[in-house]
Amino acid sequence: MTEPVRVAVLISGRGSNMLALSEHKRRDPDRTYKLALVASNVPEARGLVLAKRLGIPTWAKSHEGMKRAEFDALLDEQLHAHEIEIVALAGYMRLLSPGFVEKWEGRILNIHPSLLPLHKGLDTHKRAILAGDEYGGCSVHVVTADLDSGPVVAQAKVKILPRDDAESLAERVLEEEHRLYPLALEEYCRAVRELEGETPA
Ligand code: GRF
């Protein structure tokens, strides 16, 4: 049987998407990926506690006082130490250095809470409502040097209701994120193995 792709999830906060990725794997161990590391630039991130409970190896270090490239070099070292093949950003609130992105080209995914290319960056739900958009949603995309601009691999739409505020919309979009990200990661990892000439069982 083909080995699952070893994935590192990068988080900075509560880690609910990380949990969804882990749950998806737990429901069927034959998934094309395995969470081999959860890493964070915020040592007190709640998601780290969840990851430890799930028995996933963790690494955390505050980026404060460090140059971006310096921190990313440490992160890169950890990824190699854990034989990581794909990096999944899940609420990782720190820009990656261009050198890191280049080194991991095509191997970093991110989930963003908008229908990209609309509303890159922060405050996406508020901006979608203010713009009068009919739909909000979320996108899984490949990370490139430009923020939230890499190729989109999957999207889910959420209807914006007249009574919505940023919080209520965020809540419904998050539910979609939890559905979308595991499926998108699963497919991406299948493609990774296929490109290597192997088909996951
Ligand atoms: C999610 O909305 C994700 O789309 C965005 O940050 C949030 C992270 O939430 N990038 P969580 O830490 O996965 O709960």
Side-chain angles (χ1 to χ4, degrees), residues 124-137:
T124 54
H125 306 300
K126 190 170 148 199
R127 286 192 283 141
I129 292 169
L130 284 177
D133 295 351
E134 196 181 348
Y135 290 96

Side-chain angles (χ1 to χ4, degrees), residues 157-186:
K157 278 178 164 185
V158 172
K159 179 101 176 136
I160 299 180
L161 306 173
R163 59 173 159 78
D164 264 328
D165 58 17
E167 286 70 35
S168 64
L169 180 58
E171 220 171 276
R172 293 205 310 290
V173 170
L174 191 64
E175 282 174 25
E176 286 306 317
E177 292 183 37
H178 295 164
R179 256 190 290 275
L180 186 72
Y181 208 2
L183 298 177
L185 181 64
E186 169 88 9

